[in-house]
PDB file of all heavy atoms in Angstrom:
ATOM      1  N   ARG A  50      14.172 -16.105  14.788  1.00 90.00           N
ATOM      2  CA  ARG A  50      14.089 -14.629  14.657  1.00 90.00           C
ATOM      3  C   ARG A  50      14.960 -13.945  15.726  1.00 90.00           C
ATOM      4  O   ARG A  50      15.476 -12.866  15.419  1.00 90.00           O
ATOM      5  CB  ARG A  50      12.609 -14.169  14.749  1.00 90.00           C
ATOM      6  CG  ARG A  50      11.873 -14.778  13.576  1.00 90.00           C
ATOM      7  CD  ARG A  50      10.641 -14.054  13.166  1.00 90.00           C
ATOM      8  NE  ARG A  50      10.133 -14.780  11.991  1.00 90.00           N
ATOM      9  CZ  ARG A  50       9.206 -14.343  11.206  1.00 90.00           C
ATOM     10  NH1 ARG A  50       8.615 -13.203  11.420  1.00 90.00           N
ATOM     11  NH2 ARG A  50       8.805 -15.040  10.141  1.00 90.00           N
ATOM     12  N   LEU A  55      15.493 -10.148  14.892  1.00 89.00           N
ATOM     13  CA  LEU A  55      14.290  -9.619  14.254  1.00 89.00           C
ATOM     14  C   LEU A  55      13.029  -9.810  15.101  1.00 89.00           C
ATOM     15  O   LEU A  55      11.957  -9.922  14.554  1.00 89.00           O
ATOM     16  CB  LEU A  55      14.104 -10.246  12.894  1.00 89.00           C
ATOM     17  CG  LEU A  55      15.128  -9.825  11.827  1.00 89.00           C
ATOM     18  CD1 LEU A  55      14.925 -10.640  10.532  1.00 89.00           C
ATOM     19  CD2 LEU A  55      14.994  -8.346  11.522  1.00 89.00           C
ATOM     20  N   ARG A  83      22.672  -5.042  11.124  1.00 92.00           N
ATOM     21  CA  ARG A  83      22.127  -5.025   9.772  1.00 92.00           C
ATOM     22  C   ARG A  83      23.201  -5.443   8.767  1.00 92.00           C
ATOM     23  O   ARG A  83      22.880  -6.131   7.755  1.00 92.00           O
ATOM     24  CB  ARG A  83      21.557  -3.671   9.436  1.00 92.00           C
ATOM     25  CG  ARG A  83      20.466  -3.714   8.385  1.00 92.00           C
ATOM     26  CD  ARG A  83      19.904  -2.377   8.075  1.00 92.00           C
ATOM     27  NE  ARG A  83      20.937  -1.566   7.525  1.00 92.00           N
ATOM     28  CZ  ARG A  83      21.117  -0.285   7.870  1.00 92.00           C
ATOM     29  NH1 ARG A  83      20.365   0.283   8.805  1.00 92.00           N
ATOM     30  NH2 ARG A  83      22.060   0.427   7.335  1.00 92.00           N
ATOM     31  N   ARG A  86      23.209  -9.182   8.575  1.00 92.00           N
ATOM     32  CA  ARG A  86      22.079  -9.832   7.932  1.00 92.00           C
ATOM     33  C   ARG A  86      22.212  -9.736   6.439  1.00 92.00           C
ATOM     34  O   ARG A  86      22.376  -8.668   5.859  1.00 92.00           O
ATOM     35  CB  ARG A  86      20.772  -9.106   8.336  1.00 92.00           C
ATOM     36  CG  ARG A  86      20.282  -9.483   9.692  1.00 92.00           C
ATOM     37  CD  ARG A  86      18.930  -8.846   9.944  1.00 92.00           C
ATOM     38  NE  ARG A  86      18.891  -8.404  11.326  1.00 92.00           N
ATOM     39  CZ  ARG A  86      18.681  -7.177  11.722  1.00 92.00           C
ATOM     40  NH1 ARG A  86      18.458  -6.240  10.846  1.00 92.00           N
ATOM     41  NH2 ARG A  86      18.700  -6.872  13.022  1.00 92.00           N
ATOM     42  N   GLY A  87      22.245 -10.938   5.832  1.00 89.00           N
ATOM     43  CA  GLY A  87      22.489 -10.959   4.408  1.00 89.00           C
ATOM     44  C   GLY A  87      23.874 -11.559   4.128  1.00 89.00           C
ATOM     45  O   GLY A  87      23.954 -12.736   3.702  1.00 89.00           O
ATOM     46  N   MET A  92      17.962 -16.022   6.284  1.00 93.00           N
ATOM     47  CA  MET A  92      16.855 -16.824   6.709  1.00 93.00           C
ATOM     48  C   MET A  92      15.886 -17.053   5.555  1.00 93.00           C
ATOM     49  O   MET A  92      15.468 -16.106   4.904  1.00 93.00           O
ATOM     50  CB  MET A  92      16.156 -16.210   7.899  1.00 93.00           C
ATOM     51  CG  MET A  92      14.968 -17.000   8.407  1.00 93.00           C
ATOM     52  SD  MET A  92      14.560 -16.604  10.132  1.00 93.00           S
ATOM     53  CE  MET A  92      13.689 -15.060   9.945  1.00 93.00           C
ATOM     54  N   LEU A  94      12.177 -17.979   4.600  1.00 91.00           N
ATOM     55  CA  LEU A  94      10.886 -17.993   5.291  1.00 91.00           C
ATOM     56  C   LEU A  94       9.975 -19.050   4.674  1.00 91.00           C
ATOM     57  O   LEU A  94      10.241 -19.652   3.661  1.00 91.00           O
ATOM     58  CB  LEU A  94      10.228 -16.608   5.211  1.00 91.00           C
ATOM     59  CG  LEU A  94      11.082 -15.466   5.807  1.00 91.00           C
ATOM     60  CD1 LEU A  94      10.375 -14.154   5.591  1.00 91.00           C
ATOM     61  CD2 LEU A  94      11.346 -15.707   7.259  1.00 91.00           C
ATOM     62  N   TYR A  99       3.933 -15.096   0.420  1.00 92.00           N
ATOM     63  CA  TYR A  99       3.888 -13.904   1.298  1.00 92.00           C
ATOM     64  C   TYR A  99       5.274 -13.295   1.503  1.00 92.00           C
ATOM     65  O   TYR A  99       5.373 -12.117   1.869  1.00 92.00           O
ATOM     66  CB  TYR A  99       3.290 -14.239   2.633  1.00 92.00           C
ATOM     67  CG  TYR A  99       1.922 -14.816   2.510  1.00 92.00           C
ATOM     68  CD1 TYR A  99       1.657 -16.169   2.864  1.00 92.00           C
ATOM     69  CD2 TYR A  99       0.874 -14.091   2.023  1.00 92.00           C
ATOM     70  CE1 TYR A  99       0.394 -16.700   2.769  1.00 92.00           C
ATOM     71  CE2 TYR A  99      -0.410 -14.601   1.867  1.00 92.00           C
ATOM     72  CZ  TYR A  99      -0.637 -15.952   2.229  1.00 92.00           C
ATOM     73  OH  TYR A  99      -1.861 -16.494   2.110  1.00 92.00           O
ATOM     74  N   SER A 100       6.304 -14.089   1.284  1.00 93.00           N
ATOM     75  CA  SER A 100       7.636 -13.603   1.678  1.00 93.00           C
ATOM     76  C   SER A 100       8.363 -12.894   0.523  1.00 93.00           C
ATOM     77  O   SER A 100       9.409 -12.357   0.739  1.00 93.00           O
ATOM     78  CB  SER A 100       8.483 -14.744   2.244  1.00 93.00           C
ATOM     79  OG  SER A 100       8.529 -15.789   1.307  1.00 93.00           O
ATOM     80  N   LEU A 101       7.794 -12.928  -0.661  1.00 94.00           N
ATOM     81  CA  LEU A 101       8.372 -12.151  -1.757  1.00 94.00           C
ATOM     82  C   LEU A 101       7.539 -10.912  -2.029  1.00 94.00           C
ATOM     83  O   LEU A 101       6.298 -10.973  -2.034  1.00 94.00           O
ATOM     84  CB  LEU A 101       8.463 -12.995  -3.032  1.00 94.00           C
ATOM     85  CG  LEU A 101       9.359 -14.271  -2.944  1.00 94.00           C
ATOM     86  CD1 LEU A 101       9.218 -15.102  -4.183  1.00 94.00           C
ATOM     87  CD2 LEU A 101      10.806 -13.842  -2.729  1.00 94.00           C
ATOM     88  N   ASN A 102       8.196  -9.799  -2.283  1.00 93.00           N
ATOM     89  CA  ASN A 102       7.426  -8.548  -2.493  1.00 93.00           C
ATOM     90  C   ASN A 102       6.695  -8.620  -3.823  1.00 93.00           C
ATOM     91  O   ASN A 102       7.264  -8.854  -4.869  1.00 93.00           O
ATOM     92  CB  ASN A 102       8.381  -7.391  -2.490  1.00 93.00           C
ATOM     93  CG  ASN A 102       7.629  -6.069  -2.395  1.00 93.00           C
ATOM     94  OD1 ASN A 102       6.722  -5.820  -3.176  1.00 93.00           O
ATOM     95  ND2 ASN A 102       8.002  -5.228  -1.452  1.00 93.00           N
ATOM     96  N   PRO A 103       5.374  -8.456  -3.796  1.00 91.00           N
ATOM     97  CA  PRO A 103       4.571  -8.707  -4.977  1.00 91.00           C
ATOM     98  C   PRO A 103       4.756  -7.730  -6.134  1.00 91.00           C
ATOM     99  O   PRO A 103       4.432  -8.017  -7.256  1.00 91.00           O
ATOM    100  CB  PRO A 103       3.093  -8.583  -4.476  1.00 91.00           C
ATOM    101  CG  PRO A 103       3.214  -7.742  -3.216  1.00 91.00           C
ATOM    102  CD  PRO A 103       4.536  -8.076  -2.620  1.00 91.00           C
ATOM    103  N   GLN A 110      14.695  -8.150  -6.751  1.00 94.00           N
ATOM    104  CA  GLN A 110      14.665  -8.460  -5.337  1.00 94.00           C
ATOM    105  C   GLN A 110      15.967  -9.176  -4.906  1.00 94.00           C
ATOM    106  O   GLN A 110      16.493  -8.949  -3.819  1.00 94.00           O
ATOM    107  CB  GLN A 110      13.484  -9.384  -4.996  1.00 94.00           C
ATOM    108  CG  GLN A 110      12.184  -8.646  -5.169  1.00 94.00           C
ATOM    109  CD  GLN A 110      11.012  -9.350  -4.460  1.00 94.00           C
ATOM    110  OE1 GLN A 110      11.121  -9.744  -3.317  1.00 94.00           O
ATOM    111  NE2 GLN A 110       9.912  -9.472  -5.149  1.00 94.00           N
ATOM    112  N   GLU A 113      18.831  -6.671  -4.956  1.00 93.00           N
ATOM    113  CA  GLU A 113      18.811  -5.696  -3.859  1.00 93.00           C
ATOM    114  C   GLU A 113      19.701  -6.133  -2.682  1.00 93.00           C
ATOM    115  O   GLU A 113      20.420  -5.307  -2.119  1.00 93.00           O
ATOM    116  CB  GLU A 113      17.371  -5.552  -3.369  1.00 93.00           C
ATOM    117  CG  GLU A 113      17.248  -4.505  -2.269  1.00 93.00           C
ATOM    118  CD  GLU A 113      15.852  -4.384  -1.674  1.00 93.00           C
ATOM    119  OE1 GLU A 113      15.213  -5.425  -1.586  1.00 93.00           O
ATOM    120  OE2 GLU A 113      15.485  -3.266  -1.320  1.00 93.00           O
ATOM    121  N   HIS A 118      24.557  -4.283   0.341  1.00 89.00           N
ATOM    122  CA  HIS A 118      25.863  -4.661   0.938  1.00 89.00           C
ATOM    123  C   HIS A 118      26.913  -4.617  -0.148  1.00 89.00           C
ATOM    124  O   HIS A 118      26.730  -5.211  -1.185  1.00 89.00           O
ATOM    125  CB  HIS A 118      25.802  -6.061   1.525  1.00 89.00           C
ATOM    126  CG  HIS A 118      24.692  -6.254   2.501  1.00 89.00           C
ATOM    127  ND1 HIS A 118      24.766  -5.788   3.796  1.00 89.00           N
ATOM    128  CD2 HIS A 118      23.500  -6.889   2.388  1.00 89.00           C
ATOM    129  CE1 HIS A 118      23.637  -6.126   4.391  1.00 89.00           C
ATOM    130  NE2 HIS A 118      22.862  -6.782   3.581  1.00 89.00           N
ATOM    131  N   TYR A 149       7.365 -11.367 -12.031  1.00 93.00           N
ATOM    132  CA  TYR A 149       6.938 -10.945 -10.676  1.00 93.00           C
ATOM    133  C   TYR A 149       6.592 -12.200  -9.900  1.00 93.00           C
ATOM    134  O   TYR A 149       6.227 -13.237 -10.499  1.00 93.00           O
ATOM    135  CB  TYR A 149       5.715 -10.038 -10.787  1.00 93.00           C
ATOM    136  CG  TYR A 149       6.041  -8.676 -11.301  1.00 93.00           C
ATOM    137  CD1 TYR A 149       5.880  -8.345 -12.666  1.00 93.00           C
ATOM    138  CD2 TYR A 149       6.550  -7.719 -10.449  1.00 93.00           C
ATOM    139  CE1 TYR A 149       6.183  -7.098 -13.116  1.00 93.00           C
ATOM    140  CE2 TYR A 149       6.882  -6.445 -10.891  1.00 93.00           C
ATOM    141  CZ  TYR A 149       6.700  -6.155 -12.234  1.00 93.00           C
ATOM    142  OH  TYR A 149       7.008  -4.894 -12.720  1.00 93.00           O
ATOM    143  N   HIS A 151       4.084 -13.321  -8.379  1.00 91.00           N
ATOM    144  CA  HIS A 151       2.807 -14.027  -8.592  1.00 91.00           C
ATOM    145  C   HIS A 151       2.809 -14.825  -9.892  1.00 91.00           C
ATOM    146  O   HIS A 151       1.892 -15.591 -10.119  1.00 91.00           O
ATOM    147  CB  HIS A 151       1.663 -13.026  -8.606  1.00 91.00           C
ATOM    148  CG  HIS A 151       1.581 -12.178  -9.857  1.00 91.00           C
ATOM    149  ND1 HIS A 151       2.374 -11.079 -10.039  1.00 91.00           N
ATOM    150  CD2 HIS A 151       0.871 -12.320 -11.015  1.00 91.00           C
ATOM    151  CE1 HIS A 151       2.111 -10.544 -11.228  1.00 91.00           C
ATOM    152  NE2 HIS A 151       1.207 -11.244 -11.829  1.00 91.00           N
ATOM    153  N   MET A 165      17.870 -15.808  -3.204  1.00 92.00           N
ATOM    154  CA  MET A 165      18.015 -14.470  -2.654  1.00 92.00           C
ATOM    155  C   MET A 165      18.801 -14.521  -1.312  1.00 92.00           C
ATOM    156  O   MET A 165      19.533 -13.587  -1.007  1.00 92.00           O
ATOM    157  CB  MET A 165      16.612 -13.875  -2.389  1.00 92.00           C
ATOM    158  CG  MET A 165      16.578 -12.517  -1.903  1.00 92.00           C
ATOM    159  SD  MET A 165      15.022 -11.767  -2.388  1.00 92.00           S
ATOM    160  CE  MET A 165      13.891 -12.595  -1.308  1.00 92.00           C
TER     161      MET A 165
ATOM    162  N   GLU B 231       4.948 -10.474   5.494  1.00 91.00           N
ATOM    163  CA  GLU B 231       6.135 -11.292   5.585  1.00 91.00           C
ATOM    164  C   GLU B 231       7.283 -10.773   4.720  1.00 91.00           C
ATOM    165  O   GLU B 231       8.462 -10.914   5.056  1.00 91.00           O
ATOM    166  CB  GLU B 231       5.832 -12.712   5.124  1.00 91.00           C
ATOM    167  CG  GLU B 231       5.219 -13.607   6.133  1.00 91.00           C
ATOM    168  CD  GLU B 231       6.225 -13.987   7.266  1.00 91.00           C
ATOM    169  OE1 GLU B 231       7.043 -14.901   7.002  1.00 91.00           O
ATOM    170  OE2 GLU B 231       6.155 -13.385   8.356  1.00 91.00           O
ATOM    171  N   TYR B 232       6.942 -10.126   3.582  1.00 93.00           N
ATOM    172  CA  TYR B 232       8.079  -9.691   2.737  1.00 93.00           C
ATOM    173  C   TYR B 232       8.835  -8.533   3.327  1.00 93.00           C
ATOM    174  O   TYR B 232       9.941  -8.224   2.879  1.00 93.00           O
ATOM    175  CB  TYR B 232       7.614  -9.388   1.278  1.00 93.00           C
ATOM    176  CG  TYR B 232       6.394  -8.533   1.119  1.00 93.00           C
ATOM    177  CD1 TYR B 232       6.471  -7.164   1.278  1.00 93.00           C
ATOM    178  CD2 TYR B 232       5.188  -9.118   0.782  1.00 93.00           C
ATOM    179  CE1 TYR B 232       5.349  -6.409   1.067  1.00 93.00           C
ATOM    180  CE2 TYR B 232       4.079  -8.343   0.614  1.00 93.00           C
ATOM    181  CZ  TYR B 232       4.172  -6.990   0.764  1.00 93.00           C
ATOM    182  OH  TYR B 232       3.029  -6.214   0.572  1.00 93.00           O
ATOM    183  N   VAL B 234       9.716  -8.727   6.515  1.00 92.00           N
ATOM    184  CA  VAL B 234      10.685  -9.550   7.229  1.00 92.00           C
ATOM    185  C   VAL B 234      11.831  -9.988   6.302  1.00 92.00           C
ATOM    186  O   VAL B 234      12.969  -9.899   6.613  1.00 92.00           O
ATOM    187  CB  VAL B 234      10.030 -10.776   7.911  1.00 92.00           C
ATOM    188  CG1 VAL B 234      11.059 -11.633   8.585  1.00 92.00           C
ATOM    189  CG2 VAL B 234       8.941 -10.345   8.855  1.00 92.00           C
ATOM    190  N   THR B 235      11.377 -10.429   5.112  1.00 93.00           N
ATOM    191  CA  THR B 235      12.399 -10.870   4.127  1.00 93.00           C
ATOM    192  C   THR B 235      13.420  -9.733   3.837  1.00 93.00           C
ATOM    193  O   THR B 235      14.592  -9.948   3.816  1.00 93.00           O
ATOM    194  CB  THR B 235      11.717 -11.214   2.802  1.00 93.00           C
ATOM    195  OG1 THR B 235      10.734 -12.206   3.028  1.00 93.00           O
ATOM    196  CG2 THR B 235      12.731 -11.715   1.759  1.00 93.00           C
ATOM    197  N   ARG B 237      14.199  -7.284   5.774  1.00 93.00           N
ATOM    198  CA  ARG B 237      15.071  -7.125   6.948  1.00 93.00           C
ATOM    199  C   ARG B 237      16.128  -8.212   7.012  1.00 93.00           C
ATOM    200  O   ARG B 237      17.245  -7.967   7.374  1.00 93.00           O
ATOM    201  CB  ARG B 237      14.219  -7.129   8.239  1.00 93.00           C
ATOM    202  CG  ARG B 237      13.292  -5.937   8.347  1.00 93.00           C
ATOM    203  CD  ARG B 237      13.022  -5.531   9.782  1.00 93.00           C
ATOM    204  NE  ARG B 237      12.353  -4.230   9.797  1.00 93.00           N
ATOM    205  CZ  ARG B 237      11.081  -4.049   9.954  1.00 93.00           C
ATOM    206  NH1 ARG B 237      10.270  -5.098  10.225  1.00 93.00           N
ATOM    207  NH2 ARG B 237      10.523  -2.825   9.940  1.00 93.00           N
ATOM    208  N   VAL B 238      15.715  -9.446   6.675  1.00 93.00           N
ATOM    209  CA  VAL B 238      16.677 -10.540   6.658  1.00 93.00           C
ATOM    210  C   VAL B 238      17.791 -10.249   5.656  1.00 93.00           C
ATOM    211  O   VAL B 238      18.934 -10.634   5.905  1.00 93.00           O
ATOM    212  CB  VAL B 238      15.930 -11.870   6.312  1.00 93.00           C
ATOM    213  CG1 VAL B 238      16.943 -12.937   5.922  1.00 93.00           C
ATOM    214  CG2 VAL B 238      15.048 -12.321   7.442  1.00 93.00           C
ATOM    215  N   LYS B 239      17.473  -9.586   4.589  1.00 93.00           N
ATOM    216  CA  LYS B 239      18.539  -9.221   3.604  1.00 93.00           C
ATOM    217  C   LYS B 239      19.384  -8.071   4.094  1.00 93.00           C
ATOM    218  O   LYS B 239      20.359  -7.717   3.423  1.00 93.00           O
ATOM    219  CB  LYS B 239      17.854  -8.757   2.265  1.00 93.00           C
ATOM    220  CG  LYS B 239      17.322  -9.922   1.428  1.00 93.00           C
ATOM    221  CD  LYS B 239      17.026  -9.441   0.023  1.00 93.00           C
ATOM    222  CE  LYS B 239      15.739  -8.646  -0.104  1.00 93.00           C
ATOM    223  NZ  LYS B 239      15.422  -8.280  -1.486  1.00 93.00           N
ATOM    224  N   GLY B 240      19.002  -7.459   5.204  1.00 91.00           N
ATOM    225  CA  GLY B 240      19.755  -6.314   5.705  1.00 91.00           C
ATOM    226  C   GLY B 240      19.445  -4.996   5.012  1.00 91.00           C
ATOM    227  O   GLY B 240      20.272  -4.112   4.967  1.00 91.00           O
ATOM    228  N   VAL B 241      18.258  -4.902   4.480  1.00 92.00           N
ATOM    229  CA  VAL B 241      17.863  -3.651   3.796  1.00 92.00           C
ATOM    230  C   VAL B 241      17.632  -2.581   4.867  1.00 92.00           C
ATOM    231  O   VAL B 241      17.001  -2.841   5.866  1.00 92.00           O
ATOM    232  CB  VAL B 241      16.567  -3.862   2.988  1.00 92.00           C
ATOM    233  CG1 VAL B 241      16.096  -2.580   2.370  1.00 92.00           C
ATOM    234  CG2 VAL B 241      16.801  -4.916   1.901  1.00 92.00           C
ATOM    235  N   PRO B 242      18.181  -1.352   4.694  1.00 91.00           N
ATOM    236  CA  PRO B 242      17.974  -0.273   5.658  1.00 91.00           C
ATOM    237  C   PRO B 242      16.490   0.121   5.805  1.00 91.00           C
ATOM    238  O   PRO B 242      15.751  -0.012   4.824  1.00 91.00           O
ATOM    239  CB  PRO B 242      18.809   0.885   5.099  1.00 91.00           C
ATOM    240  CG  PRO B 242      19.662   0.319   4.057  1.00 91.00           C
ATOM    241  CD  PRO B 242      19.057  -0.955   3.586  1.00 91.00           C
ATOM    242  N   LEU B 245      14.731   2.254   3.121  1.00 92.00           N
ATOM    243  CA  LEU B 245      14.320   1.551   1.879  1.00 92.00           C
ATOM    244  C   LEU B 245      13.150   0.600   2.153  1.00 92.00           C
ATOM    245  O   LEU B 245      12.322   0.361   1.272  1.00 92.00           O
ATOM    246  CB  LEU B 245      15.514   0.760   1.326  1.00 92.00           C
ATOM    247  CG  LEU B 245      16.585   1.626   0.618  1.00 92.00           C
ATOM    248  CD1 LEU B 245      17.685   0.704   0.077  1.00 92.00           C
ATOM    249  CD2 LEU B 245      15.938   2.388  -0.532  1.00 92.00           C
ATOM    250  N   ARG B 249      10.526   1.496  -0.413  1.00 92.00           N
ATOM    251  CA  ARG B 249      10.586   0.546  -1.548  1.00 92.00           C
ATOM    252  C   ARG B 249       9.661  -0.620  -1.299  1.00 92.00           C
ATOM    253  O   ARG B 249       8.838  -0.970  -2.069  1.00 92.00           O
ATOM    254  CB  ARG B 249      12.007   0.086  -1.829  1.00 92.00           C
ATOM    255  CG  ARG B 249      12.055  -0.781  -3.091  1.00 92.00           C
ATOM    256  CD  ARG B 249      13.422  -1.373  -3.247  1.00 92.00           C
ATOM    257  NE  ARG B 249      14.430  -0.347  -3.627  1.00 92.00           N
ATOM    258  CZ  ARG B 249      15.752  -0.545  -3.470  1.00 92.00           C
ATOM    259  NH1 ARG B 249      16.183  -1.680  -2.912  1.00 92.00           N
ATOM    260  NH2 ARG B 249      16.588   0.388  -3.828  1.00 92.00           N
ATOM    261  N   HIS B 250       9.800  -1.202  -0.090  1.00 93.00           N
ATOM    262  CA  HIS B 250       9.054  -2.465   0.147  1.00 93.00           C
ATOM    263  C   HIS B 250       7.643  -2.246   0.643  1.00 93.00           C
ATOM    264  O   HIS B 250       6.746  -3.032   0.318  1.00 93.00           O
ATOM    265  CB  HIS B 250       9.839  -3.340   1.097  1.00 93.00           C
ATOM    266  CG  HIS B 250      11.039  -3.947   0.474  1.00 93.00           C
ATOM    267  ND1 HIS B 250      11.053  -5.113  -0.198  1.00 93.00           N
ATOM    268  CD2 HIS B 250      12.319  -3.442   0.360  1.00 93.00           C
ATOM    269  CE1 HIS B 250      12.235  -5.367  -0.675  1.00 93.00           C
ATOM    270  NE2 HIS B 250      13.046  -4.360  -0.365  1.00 93.00           N
ATOM    271  N   ARG B 253       5.701   1.036  -2.090  1.00 91.00           N
ATOM    272  CA  ARG B 253       5.380   0.681  -3.487  1.00 91.00           C
ATOM    273  C   ARG B 253       4.097  -0.101  -3.626  1.00 91.00           C
ATOM    274  O   ARG B 253       3.280   0.232  -4.487  1.00 91.00           O
ATOM    275  CB  ARG B 253       6.524  -0.167  -4.038  1.00 91.00           C
ATOM    276  CG  ARG B 253       7.452   0.621  -4.911  1.00 91.00           C
ATOM    277  CD  ARG B 253       8.142  -0.339  -5.845  1.00 91.00           C
ATOM    278  NE  ARG B 253       9.419   0.126  -6.260  1.00 91.00           N
ATOM    279  CZ  ARG B 253      10.210  -0.483  -7.123  1.00 91.00           C
ATOM    280  NH1 ARG B 253       9.825  -1.641  -7.597  1.00 91.00           N
ATOM    281  NH2 ARG B 253      11.364   0.009  -7.438  1.00 91.00           N
ATOM    282  N   PRO B 254       3.889  -1.154  -2.807  1.00 89.00           N
ATOM    283  CA  PRO B 254       2.614  -1.875  -2.995  1.00 89.00           C
ATOM    284  C   PRO B 254       1.385  -1.066  -2.671  1.00 89.00           C
ATOM    285  O   PRO B 254       0.302  -1.394  -3.185  1.00 89.00           O
ATOM    286  CB  PRO B 254       2.743  -3.055  -2.032  1.00 89.00           C
ATOM    287  CG  PRO B 254       4.208  -3.195  -1.761  1.00 89.00           C
ATOM    288  CD  PRO B 254       4.749  -1.814  -1.846  1.00 89.00           C
ATOM    289  N   PRO B 329       1.700  -4.896 -11.031  1.00 80.00           N
ATOM    290  CA  PRO B 329       1.899  -5.984 -12.019  1.00 80.00           C
ATOM    291  C   PRO B 329       0.806  -7.039 -11.938  1.00 80.00           C
ATOM    292  O   PRO B 329       0.488  -7.681 -12.931  1.00 80.00           O
ATOM    293  CB  PRO B 329       3.250  -6.603 -11.640  1.00 80.00           C
ATOM    294  CG  PRO B 329       3.494  -6.139 -10.232  1.00 80.00           C
ATOM    295  CD  PRO B 329       2.806  -4.829 -10.085  1.00 80.00           C
ATOM    296  N   ARG B 330       0.180  -7.193 -10.772  1.00 78.00           N
ATOM    297  CA  ARG B 330      -0.850  -8.213 -10.691  1.00 78.00           C
ATOM    298  C   ARG B 330      -2.129  -7.859 -11.420  1.00 78.00           C
ATOM    299  O   ARG B 330      -2.897  -8.720 -11.785  1.00 78.00           O
ATOM    300  CB  ARG B 330      -1.233  -8.448  -9.193  1.00 78.00           C
ATOM    301  CG  ARG B 330      -0.120  -9.211  -8.478  1.00 78.00           C
ATOM    302  CD  ARG B 330      -0.281  -9.136  -6.993  1.00 78.00           C
ATOM    303  NE  ARG B 330      -0.125  -7.765  -6.550  1.00 78.00           N
ATOM    304  CZ  ARG B 330      -0.141  -7.380  -5.267  1.00 78.00           C
ATOM    305  NH1 ARG B 330      -0.316  -8.267  -4.333  1.00 78.00           N
ATOM    306  NH2 ARG B 330       0.034  -6.128  -4.928  1.00 78.00           N
ATOM    307  N   ARG B 332      -2.116  -6.467 -14.313  1.00 72.00           N
ATOM    308  CA  ARG B 332      -1.849  -6.499 -15.713  1.00 72.00           C
ATOM    309  C   ARG B 332      -2.215  -7.811 -16.331  1.00 72.00           C
ATOM    310  O   ARG B 332      -2.555  -7.895 -17.496  1.00 72.00           O
ATOM    311  CB  ARG B 332      -0.386  -6.226 -15.982  1.00 72.00           C
ATOM    312  CG  ARG B 332      -0.108  -4.736 -16.240  1.00 72.00           C
ATOM    313  CD  ARG B 332       1.387  -4.506 -16.388  1.00 72.00           C
ATOM    314  NE  ARG B 332       1.866  -3.687 -15.316  1.00 72.00           N
ATOM    315  CZ  ARG B 332       3.147  -3.724 -14.912  1.00 72.00           C
ATOM    316  NH1 ARG B 332       4.015  -4.538 -15.475  1.00 72.00           N
ATOM    317  NH2 ARG B 332       3.525  -2.941 -13.944  1.00 72.00           N
ATOM    318  N   THR B 333      -2.074  -8.909 -15.568  1.00 59.00           N
ATOM    319  CA  THR B 333      -2.283 -10.206 -16.167  1.00 59.00           C
ATOM    320  C   THR B 333      -3.724 -10.707 -15.987  1.00 59.00           C
ATOM    321  O   THR B 333      -4.446 -10.189 -15.166  1.00 59.00           O
ATOM    322  CB  THR B 333      -1.316 -11.231 -15.564  1.00 59.00           C
ATOM    323  OG1 THR B 333      -1.267 -11.000 -14.183  1.00 59.00           O
ATOM    324  CG2 THR B 333       0.041 -11.110 -16.196  1.00 59.00           C
TER     325      THR B 333
END
Side-chain angles (χ1 to χ4, degrees):
Chain A
R50 297 203 177 192
L55 289 175
R83 206 179 63 224
R86 281 185 220 122
M92 179 157 78
L94 303 178
Y99 303 114
S100 55
L101 297 173
N102 194 308
Q110 293 197 46
E113 184 184 34
H118 305 283
Y149 287 98
H151 73 279
M165 184 155 71
Chain B
E231 278 289 282
Y232 48 79
V234 177
T235 304
R237 293 209 168 102
V238 166
K239 283 195 283 183
V241 175
L245 285 181
R249 186 186 289 159
H250 288 271
R253 259 204 208 182
R330 286 164 296 184
R332 267 177 246 155
T333 42

